[in-house]
Amino acid sequence: MTEFVLRTNQLTKKFKQDYALENVNVSIKKGEIYGFIGQNGAGKSTFLRIVTGLAFPTGGAIELFGNHDSSNLTEAQKRMGAIIETPALFPNMTAYENLEVHRLQKGIPGKACIDKTLELVGLQDTGRKKAKNFSLGMKQRLGLAIALLSDPEFLILDEPTNGLDPMGIVELRHLIKKLNREKGLTVLISSHILSELHQLATKFGIIHKGKLLEELTAQELDEKCRQHLRIKVDQASKAAIVLEHELKTADFEVLPDGTIKLYDYLDDVHIVSRTLTKNGLVIEQLSQNGEQLENYFSKLVRGLENEQFNESGIF
Amino acid sequence: MSNLMRAEFFKLFHNKTFWVLIVSLTGISALMHNLILTDWWVMTGTPFEAVGLGELNALAVLIVPLFFNLIVSTLAGFYIANEFSQSGVIKNQIITGHKRARIFLAKFAALSFGAFIAAVAIPLATAFALLLLHGMEDILTLSNLAYLGRAYGLFSLQFLCLAAIVLFIAIVTEDSGKTVIFTLLLSGGMFIVEKFVSKPFIVKLYEQTFFYQFSQAFRWELASDEMAKSIFVGLISLAVILLCGMFVFNKKEIK
């Protein structure tokens, strides 16, 4: 049976007349790295704040590690670590002392975990330096250390790369992948930088104006964004044989409506066209398709906006 | 709960404001006691003088509500309210998966302990230390010690109510400055009611509050029913304020 770490059902958050979240259904399986994509103000942080118990929904339900009633939800939160918006630190304490507060709060026995976690995020040499004197990147790493201190099963990161330099971003990505691979850590990571999530996430949720537009796996997203030639001919089965035998390619698929998606010969469209015609096929459509991740996202967002525009009845 | 308490006390002992208050109050208190004991400063009409403890008159300044309110609200502002506004560390605490009511109670325990040390224990400890240094310890007779024990016992109970109400203000306002201002406004308001309002209904109502019990605690003669009333008012007020505080904190959205 599939084990879900987080599931939301029709999760809604309303501020007076405005919806910050509207009927959001998200499901995250154990071991997934879930990328939550959306523009600034799309509702990502609101969603994460509700999941972490900082805010309350006005409608819908949350299920965390299979628990959904409020006291069990609070208990289940002990199994997760999170950074929401900016890392929350005691400015007058050192990195070690910041982690010590969190260790005491969580009731983690022994102080060995502090050194181990500081080393994991590369802050082992900060000594007596107070957190207020840390760079933005160091603060971000200390926030991550706090989230990781109790060895959580579920890690929630809200825009974790804010303030990190390119090297820091790469290191963070490697660290998350390593924890996911070695410890089976489930991660929910939000960002408005698509390319950043694309290199990390195994599943995506695209949110816009409080609505979850689409949930898809990395494979599905790659598929949608992969460049291909879209071919529509009068005889799809014959065209498939021609592609295999004449053009020596198997990198294509035939869709139920007879359209062929060819992932090969992208720069040699004329060869494809000539070969198909030579074999007596009538080409009804031949176009290059597929888009960049950003374009795919924009198309989804535009789709929603058009839908809302039409619903409003303004023409 | 014990984990939360340990964390709160760790934070308290690493809080700069707490240590600034401890050091300043030790200095101010020692100076005032010294001035009284060496007759450089003469005070009259204090509750301590009335019971033959005139050497401890400096304590009368430190039991004025405006004075100790300032101490409690400063600590609450810079220790509690800052966790919501400046550092935002309250988020980490909520995410740890502890019940909010327990977090509130742990904060109350640490705040009341810190405020009690600064506003009550240090003035008393410096008073005793200076009495010893000046060779005046003979005034601490058994009956005087019993008076001080009873007075400070009742005072401490009302002090816990004040700490609870200041914690409530700190959590609602989320700002150190506002915490200090609102607490002082509250205490100023109570002072006006006590000194200038004569409407029987308001006076009667005021006498049922823990603010009134602050002054009652230091009366030399206190009948057993008055003492019972003081304890009752203190305990009920404490329970009501804590319950209200927990309710508000439970419903509060953390930004």
Side-chain angles (χ1 to χ4, degrees):
Chain A
M1 202 177 84
T2 313
E3 196 182 330
F4 285 96
V5 170
L6 173 71
R7 270 200 292 195
T8 65
N9 181 23
Q10 305 289 309
L11 198 67
T12 302
K13 178 75 178 173
K14 207 174 169 185
F15 293 109
K16 290 180 184 163
Q17 294 307 309
D18 301 321
Y19 281 98
L21 289 177
E22 199 178 342
N23 301 323
V24 173
N25 297 319
V26 162
S27 43
I28 303 175
K29 288 179 200 154
K30 192 174 170 14
E32 272 180 351
I33 300 178
Y34 190 100
F36 209 35
I37 308 172
Q39 291 167 306
N40 292 328
K44 303 186 296 290
S45 293
T46 305
F47 179 82
L48 300 184
R49 286 175 63 239
I50 291 173
V51 171
T52 50
L54 297 174
F56 309 104
T58 36
I62 302 172
E63 186 188 289
L64 196 58
F65 294 105
N67 301 288
H68 42 74
D69 60 85
S70 75
S71 69
N72 287 342
L73 262 178
T74 311
E75 197 60 31
Q77 280 170 358
K78 289 185 177 161
R79 295 163 70 181
M80 68 186 199
I83 312 180
I84 306 296
E85 289 166 353
T86 50
L89 312 169
F90 288 98
N92 288 315
M93 289 189 194
T94 63
Y96 191 95
E97 287 165 347
N98 265 287
L99 290 184
E100 175 65 1
V101 173
H102 203 65
R103 185 189 75 82
L104 291 169
Q105 273 170 182
K106 282 254 181 181
I108 305 165
K111 295 187 177 185
C113 60
I114 298 180
D115 292 315
K116 201 180 87 184
T117 314
L118 282 176
E119 204 174 322
L120 189 70
V121 297
L123 289 177
Q124 69 275 28
D125 298 323
T126 50
R128 302 296 311 157
K129 192 172 182 177
K130 306 247 191 244
K132 65 181 173 191
N133 298 323
F134 281 12
S135 68
L136 206 53
M138 286 167 84
K139 284 179 183 167
Q140 203 63 269
R141 279 189 278 161
L142 183 53
L144 184 64
I146 290 172
L148 289 172
L149 187 72
S150 57
D151 227 348
E153 294 167 60
F154 183 31
L155 182 66
I156 296 178
L157 303 171
D158 187 10
E159 311 263 3
T161 52
N162 280 355
L164 290 182
D165 54 34
M167 276 308 291
I169 294 173
V170 173
E171 280 169 21
L172 178 73
R173 196 162 54 227
H174 286 317
L175 179 63
I176 292 171
K177 278 187 175 174
K178 187 180 160 202
L179 291 169
N180 173 259
R181 198 174 51 242
E182 292 175 3
K183 296 187 175 180
L185 181 74
T186 308
V187 185
L188 167 56
I189 180 168
S190 83
S191 181
H192 59 273
I193 305 167
L194 306 181
S195 55
E196 183 185 296
L197 283 186
H198 193 220
Q199 295 180 59
L200 187 65
T202 55
K203 192 175 177 183
F204 298 89
I206 300 171
I207 189 169
H208 183 65
K209 290 187 176 169
K211 284 185 177 172
L212 189 73
L213 301 182
E214 193 166 24
E215 238 186 351
L216 70 176
T217 63
Q219 203 180 356
E220 285 167 339
L221 184 67
D222 284 342
E223 198 67 37
K224 289 194 174 181
C225 295
R226 194 174 169 193
Q227 294 289 311
H228 62 270
L229 293 178
R230 195 174 182 86
I231 308 165
K232 200 152 173 91
V233 287
D234 56 345
Q235 300 169 69
S237 50
K238 189 180 174 188
I241 297 167
V242 171
L243 290 175
E244 266 186 46
H245 292 98
E246 303 255 335
L247 295 176
K248 313 275 182 229
T249 179
D251 199 5
F252 65 87
E253 58 180 316
V254 183
L255 302 182
D257 70 345
T259 307
I260 298 169
K261 283 169 92 174
L262 174 64
Y263 300 106
D264 213 345
Y265 290 93
L266 295 174
D267 297 325
D268 300 301
V269 186
H270 62 283
I271 296 176
V272 177
S273 157
R274 199 166 53 220
T275 312
L276 291 174
T277 316
K278 201 176 80 186
N279 283 278
L281 290 155
V282 177
I283 300 171
E284 292 166 10
Q285 185 195 349
L286 176 58
S287 59
Q288 192 154 355
N289 287 61
E291 48 218 338
Q292 296 297 313
L293 192 60
E294 280 81 3
N295 294 344
Y296 180 71
F297 176 76
S298 307
K299 214 167 102 180
L300 266 180
V301 168
R302 273 202 307 274
L304 176 84
E305 279 170 357
N306 289 340
E307 200 179 288
Q308 284 175 341
F309 185 70
N310 291 339
E311 274 172 12
S312 70
I314 305 163
F315 290 101
Chain B
M1 184 74 188
S2 67
N3 295 335
L4 286 169
M5 297 273 278
R6 286 168 68 200
E8 284 302 329
F9 280 96
F10 182 87
K11 287 190 281 182
L12 179 70
F13 295 135
H14 280 77
N15 188 285
K16 228 186 231 176
T17 308
F18 173 66
W19 290 109
V20 168
L21 284 173
I22 293 284
V23 171
S24 348
L25 278 154
T26 308
I28 292 169
S29 177
L31 178 71
M32 288 198 317
H33 286 303
N34 224 5
L35 292 175
I36 294 280
L37 291 171
T38 54
D39 289 334
W40 272 69
W41 185 19
V42 178
M43 282 176 85
T44 51
T46 70
F48 298 99
E49 195 183 27
V51 296
L53 281 169
E55 289 81 355
L56 298 182
N57 269 348
L59 287 175
V61 178
L62 303 162
I63 57 166
V64 171
L66 267 174
F67 187 83
F68 62 75
N69 265 0
L70 192 65
I71 297 165
V72 184
S73 59
T74 306
L75 188 62
F78 289 95
Y79 164 56
I80 305 285
N82 267 4
E83 288 197 357
F84 288 82
S85 53
Q86 285 194 355
S87 58
V89 284
I90 189 71
K91 286 190 287 187
N92 291 344
Q93 208 165 16
I94 303 284
I95 295 166
T96 53
H98 286 289
K99 288 197 166 60
R100 286 192 180 201
R102 290 184 182 171
I103 295 174
F104 181 86
L105 288 176
K107 288 195 180 301
F108 169 68
L111 173 70
S112 47
F113 172 82
F116 180 83
I117 294 289
V120 182
I122 284 187
L124 263 180
T126 47
F128 290 144
L130 283 161
L131 280 179
L132 284 172
L133 278 174
H134 287 269
M136 295 175 178
E137 66 274 19
D138 53 327
I139 64 155
L140 297 173
T141 60
L142 208 59
S143 67
N144 280 346
L145 283 173
Y147 163 76
L148 285 175
R150 188 262 287 158
Y152 271 97
L154 290 178
F155 179 82
S156 302
L157 180 60
Q158 319 308 330
F159 189 83
L160 287 179
C161 298
L162 179 79
I165 220 165
V166 177
L167 175 64
F168 181 90
I169 293 172
I171 284 174
V172 170
T173 62
E174 301 187 358
D175 181 87
S176 52
K178 283 181 190 161
T179 303
V180 175
I181 290 167
F182 281 112
T183 308
L184 292 183
L185 282 176
L186 177 73
S187 129
M190 290 298 148
F191 178 78
I192 291 168
V193 171
E194 187 175 336
K195 301 288 178 197
F196 304 109
V197 176
S198 55
K199 281 193 175 170
F201 171 72
I202 296 175
V203 171
K204 198 81 188 153
L205 199 69
Y206 176 73
E207 283 175 4
Q208 311 308 315
T209 66
F210 72 87
F211 288 99
Y212 177 70
Q213 297 302 328
F214 275 123
S215 55
Q216 292 299 293
F218 288 94
R219 272 175 48 196
W220 169 241
E221 282 180 343
L222 202 63
S224 55
D225 62 325
E226 287 174 312
M227 202 151 86
K229 185 188 167 188
S230 182
I231 294 171
F232 183 75
V233 167
L235 288 176
I236 295 293
S237 305
L238 184 62
V240 169
I241 300 164
L242 286 179
L243 283 173
C244 288
M246 282 190 272
F247 178 78
V248 169
F249 190 50
N250 264 328
K251 302 276 170 207
K252 191 172 179 63
E253 298 219 338
I254 311 295
K255 285 169 201 144

